[in-house]
Short mmCIF file of all heavy atoms in Angstrom, two decimals:
data_model
loop_
_atom_site.label_atom_id
_atom_site.label_comp_id
_atom_site.label_asym_id
_atom_site.label_seq_id
_atom_site.Cartn_x
_atom_site.Cartn_y
_atom_site.Cartn_z
N VAL A 88 93.56 -21.03 77.81
CA VAL A 88 93.94 -21.35 76.44
C VAL A 88 92.95 -20.63 75.54
O VAL A 88 91.75 -20.90 75.60
CB VAL A 88 93.85 -22.87 76.16
CG1 VAL A 88 94.25 -23.15 74.71
CG2 VAL A 88 94.75 -23.65 77.11
N LEU A 89 93.44 -19.69 74.75
CA LEU A 89 92.58 -18.98 73.81
C LEU A 89 92.62 -19.69 72.47
O LEU A 89 93.69 -19.99 71.95
CB LEU A 89 93.03 -17.54 73.64
CG LEU A 89 92.73 -16.57 74.78
CD1 LEU A 89 93.29 -15.20 74.45
CD2 LEU A 89 91.23 -16.48 75.02
N ASP A 90 91.45 -19.95 71.93
CA ASP A 90 91.32 -20.74 70.71
C ASP A 90 90.41 -19.97 69.74
O ASP A 90 89.22 -19.83 69.98
CB ASP A 90 90.72 -22.10 71.16
CG ASP A 90 90.11 -22.93 70.05
OD1 ASP A 90 90.25 -22.59 68.87
OD2 ASP A 90 89.48 -23.94 70.40
N GLY A 91 91.02 -19.43 68.68
CA GLY A 91 90.23 -18.65 67.72
C GLY A 91 90.25 -17.17 68.02
O GLY A 91 89.57 -16.39 67.34
N PHE A 92 91.00 -16.77 68.98
CA PHE A 92 91.17 -15.37 69.34
C PHE A 92 92.58 -15.20 69.88
O PHE A 92 93.00 -16.03 70.67
CB PHE A 92 90.15 -14.95 70.40
CG PHE A 92 90.27 -13.51 70.82
CD1 PHE A 92 89.53 -12.53 70.20
CD2 PHE A 92 91.17 -13.14 71.83
CE1 PHE A 92 89.66 -11.20 70.57
CE2 PHE A 92 91.31 -11.80 72.19
CZ PHE A 92 90.56 -10.83 71.57
N PRO A 93 93.31 -14.15 69.55
CA PRO A 93 92.97 -13.12 68.57
C PRO A 93 93.09 -13.62 67.12
O PRO A 93 93.79 -14.59 66.86
CB PRO A 93 94.01 -12.03 68.83
CG PRO A 93 95.18 -12.75 69.40
CD PRO A 93 94.63 -13.90 70.17
N ARG A 94 92.37 -12.94 66.24
CA ARG A 94 92.38 -13.32 64.83
C ARG A 94 92.74 -12.13 63.93
O ARG A 94 92.82 -12.28 62.71
CB ARG A 94 90.99 -13.84 64.46
CG ARG A 94 91.04 -15.02 63.52
CD ARG A 94 89.64 -15.52 63.28
NE ARG A 94 89.27 -16.48 64.28
CZ ARG A 94 88.56 -17.57 64.01
NH1 ARG A 94 88.17 -17.82 62.79
NH2 ARG A 94 88.23 -18.40 64.97
N THR A 95 92.91 -10.98 64.53
CA THR A 95 93.36 -9.80 63.79
C THR A 95 94.37 -9.08 64.68
O THR A 95 94.40 -9.31 65.90
CB THR A 95 92.20 -8.81 63.52
OG1 THR A 95 91.71 -8.32 64.77
CG2 THR A 95 91.05 -9.47 62.76
N VAL A 96 95.19 -8.22 64.07
CA VAL A 96 96.18 -7.48 64.86
C VAL A 96 95.47 -6.58 65.87
O VAL A 96 95.92 -6.45 67.01
CB VAL A 96 97.13 -6.69 63.93
CG1 VAL A 96 98.00 -5.74 64.73
CG2 VAL A 96 98.00 -7.66 63.14
N ARG A 97 94.35 -6.02 65.46
CA ARG A 97 93.60 -5.17 66.41
C ARG A 97 93.19 -5.98 67.64
O ARG A 97 93.29 -5.51 68.78
CB ARG A 97 92.39 -4.59 65.67
CG ARG A 97 91.33 -4.07 66.56
CD ARG A 97 91.02 -2.58 66.37
NE ARG A 97 90.19 -2.13 67.46
CZ ARG A 97 88.86 -2.11 67.41
NH1 ARG A 97 88.24 -2.44 66.30
NH2 ARG A 97 88.16 -1.72 68.46
N GLN A 98 92.72 -7.21 67.42
CA GLN A 98 92.34 -8.07 68.55
C GLN A 98 93.54 -8.37 69.43
O GLN A 98 93.44 -8.42 70.66
CB GLN A 98 91.69 -9.36 68.07
CG GLN A 98 90.32 -9.15 67.43
CD GLN A 98 89.69 -10.45 66.91
OE1 GLN A 98 90.14 -11.55 67.22
NE2 GLN A 98 88.65 -10.31 66.09
N ALA A 99 94.70 -8.57 68.81
CA ALA A 99 95.92 -8.86 69.58
C ALA A 99 96.33 -7.66 70.42
O ALA A 99 96.72 -7.81 71.58
CB ALA A 99 97.05 -9.27 68.64
N ASP A 100 96.21 -6.47 69.85
CA ASP A 100 96.50 -5.24 70.61
C ASP A 100 95.56 -5.12 71.81
O ASP A 100 95.98 -4.82 72.92
CB ASP A 100 96.30 -4.00 69.73
CG ASP A 100 97.50 -3.75 68.82
OD1 ASP A 100 98.62 -4.12 69.20
OD2 ASP A 100 97.29 -3.20 67.72
N GLU A 101 94.29 -5.35 71.54
CA GLU A 101 93.29 -5.23 72.61
C GLU A 101 93.50 -6.28 73.69
O GLU A 101 93.28 -6.02 74.87
CB GLU A 101 91.88 -5.34 72.03
CG GLU A 101 91.48 -4.15 71.18
CD GLU A 101 91.34 -2.88 72.02
OE1 GLU A 101 90.66 -2.92 73.05
OE2 GLU A 101 91.93 -1.85 71.63
N LEU A 102 93.93 -7.46 73.28
CA LEU A 102 94.19 -8.51 74.27
C LEU A 102 95.30 -8.07 75.22
O LEU A 102 95.21 -8.29 76.44
CB LEU A 102 94.55 -9.83 73.57
CG LEU A 102 94.87 -11.01 74.50
CD1 LEU A 102 93.67 -11.37 75.37
CD2 LEU A 102 95.32 -12.23 73.70
N GLU A 103 96.33 -7.44 74.68
CA GLU A 103 97.41 -6.96 75.55
C GLU A 103 96.89 -5.93 76.54
O GLU A 103 97.26 -5.93 77.71
CB GLU A 103 98.56 -6.37 74.71
CG GLU A 103 99.31 -7.45 73.96
CD GLU A 103 100.58 -6.99 73.28
OE1 GLU A 103 100.71 -5.78 72.97
OE2 GLU A 103 101.46 -7.85 73.06
N ARG A 104 96.00 -5.09 76.06
CA ARG A 104 95.41 -4.08 76.95
C ARG A 104 94.61 -4.76 78.07
O ARG A 104 94.76 -4.45 79.25
CB ARG A 104 94.49 -3.15 76.15
CG ARG A 104 93.75 -2.14 77.02
CD ARG A 104 92.73 -1.33 76.22
NE ARG A 104 91.67 -2.12 75.60
CZ ARG A 104 90.63 -2.64 76.24
NH1 ARG A 104 90.49 -2.45 77.54
NH2 ARG A 104 89.73 -3.34 75.59
N VAL A 105 93.78 -5.74 77.69
CA VAL A 105 92.92 -6.42 78.65
C VAL A 105 93.76 -7.20 79.69
O VAL A 105 93.47 -7.17 80.88
CB VAL A 105 91.94 -7.38 77.92
CG1 VAL A 105 91.23 -8.29 78.90
CG2 VAL A 105 90.94 -6.58 77.10
N LEU A 106 94.82 -7.86 79.21
CA LEU A 106 95.63 -8.68 80.12
C LEU A 106 96.50 -7.82 81.03
O LEU A 106 96.85 -8.22 82.14
CB LEU A 106 96.51 -9.66 79.34
CG LEU A 106 95.75 -10.77 78.62
CD1 LEU A 106 96.73 -11.63 77.82
CD2 LEU A 106 94.96 -11.63 79.60
N ASP A 107 96.87 -6.65 80.50
CA ASP A 107 97.60 -5.67 81.29
C ASP A 107 98.88 -6.27 81.90
O ASP A 107 99.78 -6.64 81.18
CB ASP A 107 96.66 -5.09 82.34
CG ASP A 107 97.22 -3.84 82.98
OD1 ASP A 107 98.04 -3.17 82.31
OD2 ASP A 107 96.86 -3.54 84.13
N ASP A 108 98.93 -6.44 83.21
CA ASP A 108 100.17 -6.96 83.80
C ASP A 108 100.19 -8.48 83.96
O ASP A 108 100.94 -9.01 84.77
CB ASP A 108 100.50 -6.25 85.12
CG ASP A 108 99.32 -6.29 86.08
OD1 ASP A 108 98.25 -6.79 85.68
OD2 ASP A 108 99.47 -5.83 87.23
N HIS A 109 99.34 -9.18 83.17
CA HIS A 109 99.40 -10.65 83.13
C HIS A 109 99.66 -11.07 81.68
O HIS A 109 98.78 -11.63 81.04
CB HIS A 109 98.08 -11.27 83.58
CG HIS A 109 97.65 -10.86 84.95
ND1 HIS A 109 98.29 -11.27 86.08
CD2 HIS A 109 96.63 -10.07 85.36
CE1 HIS A 109 97.69 -10.76 87.14
NE2 HIS A 109 96.68 -10.02 86.73
N PRO A 110 100.85 -10.79 81.13
CA PRO A 110 101.08 -11.03 79.71
C PRO A 110 101.04 -12.51 79.33
O PRO A 110 101.19 -13.39 80.19
CB PRO A 110 102.47 -10.45 79.47
CG PRO A 110 103.14 -10.49 80.79
CD PRO A 110 102.06 -10.30 81.82
N LEU A 111 100.86 -12.77 78.05
CA LEU A 111 100.85 -14.14 77.53
C LEU A 111 102.20 -14.81 77.78
O LEU A 111 103.24 -14.16 77.72
CB LEU A 111 100.60 -14.12 76.02
CG LEU A 111 99.22 -13.64 75.55
CD1 LEU A 111 99.21 -13.53 74.01
CD2 LEU A 111 98.14 -14.62 76.01
N ASP A 112 102.16 -16.12 78.03
CA ASP A 112 103.39 -16.88 78.18
C ASP A 112 103.88 -17.39 76.83
O ASP A 112 105.07 -17.38 76.55
CB ASP A 112 103.16 -18.10 79.09
CG ASP A 112 102.81 -17.70 80.50
OD1 ASP A 112 103.62 -16.98 81.12
OD2 ASP A 112 101.71 -18.07 80.97
N VAL A 113 102.96 -17.88 76.03
CA VAL A 113 103.36 -18.49 74.76
C VAL A 113 102.19 -18.48 73.77
O VAL A 113 101.03 -18.58 74.15
CB VAL A 113 103.92 -19.93 74.98
CG1 VAL A 113 103.00 -20.79 75.80
CG2 VAL A 113 104.24 -20.64 73.68
N VAL A 114 102.56 -18.29 72.51
CA VAL A 114 101.60 -18.35 71.41
C VAL A 114 102.06 -19.48 70.50
O VAL A 114 103.18 -19.45 70.00
CB VAL A 114 101.58 -17.02 70.62
CG1 VAL A 114 100.70 -17.13 69.39
CG2 VAL A 114 101.09 -15.89 71.54
N ILE A 115 101.23 -20.48 70.35
CA ILE A 115 101.61 -21.63 69.53
C ILE A 115 100.98 -21.53 68.16
O ILE A 115 99.77 -21.37 68.02
CB ILE A 115 101.18 -22.96 70.20
CG1 ILE A 115 101.90 -23.12 71.55
CG2 ILE A 115 101.50 -24.14 69.28
CD1 ILE A 115 101.51 -24.38 72.30
N ASP A 116 101.84 -21.60 67.14
CA ASP A 116 101.37 -21.64 65.77
C ASP A 116 101.28 -23.11 65.36
O ASP A 116 102.29 -23.77 65.20
CB ASP A 116 102.37 -20.87 64.89
CG ASP A 116 102.10 -21.10 63.41
OD1 ASP A 116 100.94 -21.30 63.04
OD2 ASP A 116 103.08 -21.08 62.63
N LEU A 117 100.06 -23.59 65.27
CA LEU A 117 99.83 -25.00 64.92
C LEU A 117 99.70 -25.07 63.40
O LEU A 117 98.71 -24.67 62.81
CB LEU A 117 98.53 -25.46 65.59
CG LEU A 117 98.16 -26.93 65.42
CD1 LEU A 117 99.24 -27.83 65.96
CD2 LEU A 117 96.83 -27.21 66.11
N ASP A 118 100.77 -25.60 62.79
CA ASP A 118 100.88 -25.48 61.35
C ASP A 118 100.47 -26.76 60.60
O ASP A 118 100.99 -27.84 60.87
CB ASP A 118 102.34 -25.13 61.02
CG ASP A 118 102.49 -24.69 59.59
OD1 ASP A 118 101.52 -24.13 59.03
OD2 ASP A 118 103.57 -24.92 59.02
N VAL A 119 99.52 -26.60 59.69
CA VAL A 119 99.07 -27.71 58.84
C VAL A 119 98.86 -27.14 57.42
O VAL A 119 98.23 -26.11 57.27
CB VAL A 119 97.74 -28.31 59.35
CG1 VAL A 119 97.26 -29.43 58.44
CG2 VAL A 119 97.89 -28.85 60.77
N PRO A 120 99.39 -27.82 56.38
CA PRO A 120 99.22 -27.32 55.02
C PRO A 120 97.74 -27.26 54.59
O PRO A 120 96.93 -28.08 55.03
CB PRO A 120 99.97 -28.33 54.14
CG PRO A 120 100.82 -29.12 55.07
CD PRO A 120 100.19 -29.06 56.42
N THR A 121 97.46 -26.31 53.71
CA THR A 121 96.08 -26.08 53.27
C THR A 121 95.41 -27.31 52.65
O THR A 121 94.24 -27.58 52.90
CB THR A 121 96.04 -24.88 52.30
OG1 THR A 121 96.57 -23.75 53.00
CG2 THR A 121 94.62 -24.56 51.86
N GLU A 122 96.15 -28.11 51.84
CA GLU A 122 95.52 -29.30 51.22
C GLU A 122 94.95 -30.22 52.30
O GLU A 122 93.89 -30.81 52.13
CB GLU A 122 96.51 -30.16 50.42
CG GLU A 122 97.47 -29.47 49.51
CD GLU A 122 98.71 -29.01 50.27
OE1 GLU A 122 99.61 -29.82 50.55
OE2 GLU A 122 98.75 -27.79 50.59
N ILE A 123 95.68 -30.34 53.39
CA ILE A 123 95.25 -31.24 54.46
C ILE A 123 94.04 -30.68 55.20
O ILE A 123 93.08 -31.40 55.47
CB ILE A 123 96.41 -31.55 55.43
CG1 ILE A 123 97.52 -32.29 54.67
CG2 ILE A 123 95.93 -32.38 56.62
CD1 ILE A 123 98.72 -32.66 55.51
N VAL A 124 94.05 -29.39 55.49
CA VAL A 124 92.91 -28.85 56.24
C VAL A 124 91.63 -28.90 55.41
O VAL A 124 90.55 -29.12 55.95
CB VAL A 124 93.14 -27.42 56.80
CG1 VAL A 124 94.36 -27.38 57.68
CG2 VAL A 124 93.18 -26.36 55.73
N LEU A 125 91.75 -28.75 54.09
CA LEU A 125 90.55 -28.81 53.25
C LEU A 125 89.88 -30.18 53.38
O LEU A 125 88.67 -30.28 53.51
CB LEU A 125 90.89 -28.51 51.78
CG LEU A 125 91.11 -27.04 51.49
CD1 LEU A 125 91.62 -26.84 50.07
CD2 LEU A 125 89.83 -26.24 51.71
N HIS A 126 90.68 -31.22 53.37
CA HIS A 126 90.14 -32.57 53.53
C HIS A 126 89.50 -32.73 54.91
O HIS A 126 88.41 -33.28 55.05
CB HIS A 126 91.24 -33.62 53.33
CG HIS A 126 90.82 -35.00 53.75
ND1 HIS A 126 90.00 -35.78 52.98
CD2 HIS A 126 91.07 -35.69 54.88
CE1 HIS A 126 89.77 -36.92 53.63
NE2 HIS A 126 90.41 -36.89 54.78
N ARG A 127 90.20 -32.24 55.93
CA ARG A 127 89.66 -32.38 57.29
C ARG A 127 88.33 -31.66 57.43
O ARG A 127 87.39 -32.18 58.04
CB ARG A 127 90.64 -31.78 58.30
CG ARG A 127 91.90 -32.62 58.49
CD ARG A 127 92.70 -32.00 59.61
NE ARG A 127 93.96 -32.69 59.85
CZ ARG A 127 94.88 -32.25 60.70
NH1 ARG A 127 94.68 -31.12 61.36
NH2 ARG A 127 95.98 -32.92 60.88
N ILE A 128 88.24 -30.45 56.89
CA ILE A 128 87.03 -29.66 57.08
C ILE A 128 85.84 -30.28 56.34
O ILE A 128 84.72 -30.28 56.84
CB ILE A 128 87.23 -28.20 56.62
CG1 ILE A 128 88.29 -27.53 57.50
CG2 ILE A 128 85.93 -27.42 56.72
CD1 ILE A 128 88.70 -26.16 57.01
#
Side-chain angles (χ1 to χ4, degrees):
V88 180
L89 285 178
D90 162 9
F92 179 93
R94 219 177 272 219
T95 63
V96 170
R97 162 120 191 267
Q98 291 179 13
D100 280 330
E101 290 292 311
L102 179 62
E103 290 189 335
R104 175 186 61 77
V105 169
L106 292 177
D107 194 26
D108 52 356
H109 303 290
L111 293 173
D112 296 302
V113 51
V114 174
I115 298 178
D116 168 31
L117 184 59
D118 193 30
V119 179
T121 302
E122 315 85 79
I123 297 180
V124 303
L125 283 173
H126 169 77
R127 288 186 182 174
I128 296 172

